[in-house]
Amino acid sequence: MTFALTIRSAEDMGAEALVAAKATARARLAAAITAARSAVITVLPGQDMIYQAKEAEARAWIADPAPDLANYPLLSAEIGLTAPDAHLNRTGFAGGSNS
């Protein structure tokens, strides 16, 4: 029978403990943020991914020199809800100045 002995320095153990503590702190912070958000907004599964997709589409719309609204279905769905027309969506996002 063979036994292996691993000797770890206090620095290594401290570094590992710090990594674990940071991960725990991040998880607790994320849970606290989620709880705070759910008190004031509706929480739906996948909602964050929808917001990210809308943001990506809006950024592409702004960067497009001649955008066709048909190629931007998420923005099209917002017309009449968050802006009266696509022009306002185009100029009103992230400081965009394209017209």
Side-chain angles (χ1 to χ4, degrees):
M1 197 180 279
T2 304
F3 293 97
L5 178 63
T6 303
I7 299 174
R8 296 177 17 209
S9 69
E11 290 84 10
D12 288 343
M13 290 187 293
E16 291 170 8
L18 180 59
V19 167
K22 284 181 177 182
T24 299
R26 281 189 202 101
R28 287 182 180 164
L29 180 60
I33 290 169
T34 299
R37 285 180 65 210
S38 68
V40 295
I41 63 170
T42 303
V43 178
L44 300 171
Q47 187 173 11
D48 288 342
M49 292 187 306
I50 293 169
Y51 289 153
Q52 290 170 353
K54 285 182 179 183
E55 179 184 1
E57 192 171 284
R59 290 185 185 280
W61 168 264
I62 290 169
D64 191 337
D68 179 355
L69 194 55
N71 295 326
Y72 300 92
L74 297 173
L75 292 181
S76 295
E78 293 293 322
I79 294 175
L81 299 173
T82 59
D85 61 40
H87 176 72
L88 290 178
N89 280 339
R90 186 172 171 80
T91 60
F93 178 79
S97 60
N98 295 336
S99 49

